[in-house]
Amino acid sequence: MMELVCPAGTPAALRAAAEAGAHAIYCGFADETNARNFPGLNFSREEMADAVSHAHARGAKVLVAINTFPRAGAEAIWHRAVADAETAGADAVILADPGLLAHAAEHHPGLRRHLSVQAAAANPDAINFYAEALGVRRVVLPRVLTVAEITAINREIDVETEVFVFGGLCVMAEGRCSLSSYATGRSPNMNGVCSPASHVVYSEEPDGLRAALGGFTIHRTPPGRPAPYPTLCKGCFASGEQTGHVFEDPASLDATQLIPALARAGVSALKIEGRQRSRAYVAEVVRAFRAAVEAEAAGLPLPVSLLARLTEGQAATTGAYAKTWR
Amino acid sequence: MDLTIGPNQFFWPAETVRGFYRQVAPSPAARVVLGELVCSKRLPFWEGELPGAIEALHAAGKEVALTTLALVTLKRERRLTADLMDLGLPVEVNDLTALRHMPVGRPFWVGPLVNVYNEGTLRWLAKRGAVRVCLPPELPLASVATLARAGTDLGVAVEVWGHGRLPLALSGRCYHARLHDRAKDSCQFVCEEDPDGRDVETLDGQPFLAVNGIQTLSQSTATAAHQVEALREAGVSALRLSPQSRGFAETVALYHRRLAGETGAGELASALRVWVPGGALSDGFLTGPAGASWSGA
């Protein structure tokens, strides 16, 4: 059965994910070392140790994301995070920075290393390089690949692959995007945040609601319509004669229908995005996906209605998994 | 501190490429990186110009390196990356995929699209053979200074993005094709219409970004005009100047005069405005608060 890797931004969400049938749960410390460094989110050292015991007692693994790029002159903060993840009993760390991977390989050789999507390893050569040079055991694939390409990659590598199937969708190669810091000074790579709420300003104007990020208008929503969060790459812009979502519509990823194809492609683990989501959301999504991977493994049809409920009323896309998306 | 001309990020016709390298060969830059960085589909249209350009640059005493693609996914692109190792020139790595093909002990350069954010990664790259590293443009001055010091200790020349529209993001999707309601595979090479990228404004008409195939750039041209002294003091060994369609030879000469102490920051900035696409400048990645900010405003 493909492993179901589920998000937890809080100890409560972690417990909910474990109860709902997550095979593995990923989470991070409450600081700039992980790519979901949002206020009120993530785990203290003590909470992480408790979380690992709780998850292990229910047969679930804990993967600790330490996937921002350490700041020059402050690498000790990231080194400590790796050491503390090992002490807490984590089953693996999810890293992106080659220097940090090399450090972990040297100082924590017994701790399993996964390559974060933030490293954007998009082909077999890159993946084999990370495996050979830095001892990576699993690679989270960047969201720039089609299912056919994922199949081809798995034929040429020995390490496991993990792919995103549900939740927020980056349209850029992750870890290689500084759009957010261009507008706000804060970025996923350096600060673990993208389009941060601290830099969002909404203003009511006669023609509707304007949402700006770092002073740049990202959306204008007519009165009475729901206003999407102003994530930079999902914004509405103008170019020449064209006006619209130049990069991507405000849609989220839903690859549920592709679960059988991804299994055939040799994917080891399916990942759900959403460490910033509530425990109720996490529980519902995890339950549906656990049923789906069980059905897939047993050769049964997918629980379609269970999965469809998750995206009801929302715009969804299969993203780069379909070649026409490009 | 000297000057490096980076690879052209845009899709220019072969004769434009020919004219460009003929013009910059006698320029005061110390070295030039060339090759296709953004889209492998463009290369067949202009790769015939490479041998002549390399010869002219060598004859003018320039160091020359070849860049890898920034995002390698297709089989053809992997082969292209592997083949770069056999051309007898230094390779500038802009996707770590290339390290899989790099012969052990062969010195290489690292471009601004590889994430070198800290001393640990710089040390790791130096151990593998990196001798020159252009830092990611996103880094603030404090990080640049720390890395330049580490570079000095490691024997790695550290470069900083000195001039050009900033390479902000890469994607699997071609935005140029998307703006023409096409997919990447049927793009009909529409990116050739925009020699400095296609401008993207906000709905309120604020200049913001520029798209260039699968790449997203800043619409402002970043310049280190105001930070030359700080970067020199930090031990930065070169400024990287990224090609633009108009007045590039003049631009290189302007930076050369600034490094030689013949002009000040303000004078350089006003002279640059004549040539940069759209006329807007920025230096906020180096000095804050945001990348788009401009300290000379």
Side-chain angles (χ1 to χ4, degrees):
Chain A
M1 192 188 313
M2 286 190 288
E3 182 179 300
L4 188 58
V5 182
C6 306
T10 61
L14 180 134
R15 287 193 295 274
E19 302 303 332
H23 297 121
I25 300 159
Y26 67 103
C27 47
F29 291 117
D31 58 29
E32 61 197 310
T33 63
N34 85 89
R36 285 287 184 282
N37 179 24
F38 299 163
L41 221 57
N42 298 316
F43 292 64
S44 69
R45 266 49 182 181
E46 201 184 345
E47 285 168 341
M48 188 65 81
D50 290 347
V52 173
S53 326
H54 184 91
H56 283 178
R58 277 148 193 82
K61 292 187 247 179
V62 173
L63 319 176
V64 179
I66 306 170
N67 56 349
T68 48
F69 293 82
R71 189 166 65 251
E75 290 173 288
I77 298 170
W78 280 260
H79 294 171
R80 207 155 46 235
V82 175
D84 291 347
E86 185 172 48
T87 306
D91 297 275
V93 282
I94 309 171
L95 311 178
D97 181 63
L100 189 60
L101 278 157
H103 171 90
E106 189 182 339
H107 298 279
H108 308 278
L111 183 59
R112 188 178 158 97
R113 294 180 291 287
H114 291 185
L115 189 67
S116 168
V117 70
Q118 299 295 120
N123 65 67
D125 299 330
I127 293 167
N128 284 327
F129 175 73
Y130 277 104
E132 289 159 16
L134 294 162
V136 159
R137 306 275 293 280
R138 178 185 292 184
V139 174
V140 186
L141 294 177
R143 283 168 269 195
V144 297
L145 300 166
T146 63
V147 175
E149 285 166 349
I150 293 169
T151 309
I153 285 175
N154 277 321
R155 283 201 201 104
E156 288 189 59
I157 63 171
D158 293 325
V159 296
E160 301 166 356
T161 51
E162 178 175 310
V163 302
F164 279 94
V165 285
F166 197 77
L169 170 75
C170 271
V171 294
M172 305 302 179
E174 291 99 329
R176 309 189 72 182
C177 178
S178 39
L179 287 172
S180 177
S181 50
Y182 183 69
T184 72
R186 296 177 58 75
S187 75
N189 284 4
M190 296 196 300
N191 314 99
V193 296
C194 174
S195 308
S198 54
H199 289 68
V200 172
V201 174
Y202 293 100
S203 47
E204 285 286 359
E205 298 186 5
D207 58 342
L209 187 72
R210 169 180 181 253
L213 181 73
F216 294 102
T217 303
I218 304 297
H219 291 295
R220 280 184 172 280
T221 311
R225 295 263 296 279
Y229 184 83
T231 302
L232 204 160
C233 59
K234 314 279 171 57
C236 189
F237 304 110
S239 180
E241 303 289 287
Q242 307 263 79
T243 296
H245 297 101
V246 170
F247 304 103
E248 176 62 303
D249 308 327
S252 61
L253 174 70
D254 178 10
T256 47
Q257 299 306 316
L258 295 176
I259 290 173
L262 292 167
R264 284 195 300 276
V267 165
S268 301
L270 301 180
K271 184 164 210 158
I272 295 166
E273 187 276 345
R275 282 192 276 149
Q276 70 284 15
R277 307 300 292 256
S278 71
R279 68 180 170 188
Y281 169 92
V282 168
E284 187 187 0
V285 173
V286 172
R287 213 170 288 121
F289 271 88
R290 176 64 187 258
V293 293
E294 297 232 3
E296 199 289 319
L300 299 169
L302 291 183
V304 179
S305 61
L306 203 58
L307 295 166
R309 261 213 345 248
L310 302 174
T311 48
E312 216 162 60
Q314 295 168 25
T317 168
T318 55
Y321 293 132
K323 204 173 184 189
T324 48
W325 180 84
R326 288 176 173 169
Chain B
M1 195 153 66
D2 57 21
L3 300 171
T4 301
I5 296 175
N8 171 36
Q9 305 186 90
F10 308 102
F11 186 26
W12 294 349
E15 55 278 18
T16 308
V17 172
R18 194 180 316 146
F20 179 83
Y21 286 108
R22 207 173 280 160
Q23 271 202 326
V24 301
S27 78
R31 64 194 71 75
V32 179
V33 184
L34 34 69
E36 181 55 53
L37 178 71
V38 172
C39 179
S40 63
K41 289 176 69 179
R42 299 170 175 175
L43 191 56
F45 292 92
W46 70 274
E47 65 187 341
E49 299 303 322
L50 277 168
I54 293 166
E55 202 185 310
L57 293 165
H58 274 157
K62 306 262 181 290
E63 263 188 284
V64 178
L66 292 171
T67 182
T68 69
L69 285 167
L71 181 65
V72 179
T73 52
L74 307 176
K75 224 172 195 149
R76 174 166 54 78
E77 296 168 345
R78 291 164 61 199
R79 239 184 345 257
L80 206 65
T81 309
D83 290 348
L84 274 181
M85 309 299 156
D86 305 327
L87 299 179
L89 288 172
V91 169
E92 174 162 297
V93 174
N94 271 300
D95 180 324
L96 285 185
T97 301
L99 292 187
R100 167 83 167 165
H101 305 290
M102 190 71 69
V104 179
R106 165 94 58 94
F108 61 89
W109 301 4
V110 176
L113 297 177
V114 171
N115 286 334
V116 184
Y117 280 84
N118 53 66
E119 310 90 298
T121 295
L122 190 64
R123 203 177 312 119
W124 177 78
L125 285 166
K127 219 182 270 175
R128 301 199 69 90
V131 292
R132 172 170 292 280
V133 173
C134 181
L135 299 176
E138 190 186 37
L139 286 175
L141 261 178
S143 295
V144 169
T146 302
L147 288 164
R149 271 196 304 277
T152 307
D153 295 343
L154 293 163
V156 175
V158 169
E159 277 184 25
V160 164
W161 189 268
H163 177 95
R165 286 189 155 179
L166 293 156
L168 295 177
L170 297 163
S171 176
R173 170 180 267 179
C174 177
Y175 300 115
H176 248 106
R178 180 170 159 90
L179 278 165
H180 289 260
D181 293 319
R182 293 173 195 158
K184 189 178 170 192
D185 285 348
S186 51
C187 68
Q188 297 173 42
F189 305 98
V190 286
C191 57
E192 199 178 26
E193 294 171 10
D194 304 297
D196 293 294
R198 178 168 164 162
D199 288 353
V200 173
E201 274 86 37
T202 70
L203 292 182
D204 293 318
Q206 301 159 284
F208 192 18
L209 304 168
V211 299
N212 171 40
I214 62 156
Q215 186 185 41
T216 305
L217 300 157
S218 63
Q219 197 174 124
S220 68
T221 295
T223 172
H226 286 276
Q227 290 82 36
V228 166
E229 287 74 19
L231 294 172
R232 185 180 276 143
E233 196 171 317
V236 169
S237 78
L239 289 186
R240 169 157 304 213
L241 312 180
S242 186
Q244 67 198 25
S245 68
R246 290 178 57 244
F248 194 69
E250 290 85 344
T251 297
V252 178
L254 287 167
Y255 277 95
H256 180 68
R257 285 207 288 282
R258 173 82 175 94
L259 294 193
E262 293 164 19
T263 53
E267 207 180 324
L268 171 58
S270 13
L272 290 174
R273 279 186 198 277
V274 177
W275 301 114
V276 303
L281 300 174
S282 64
D283 57 7
F285 275 147
L286 285 170
T287 56
S293 312
W294 170 232
S295 63

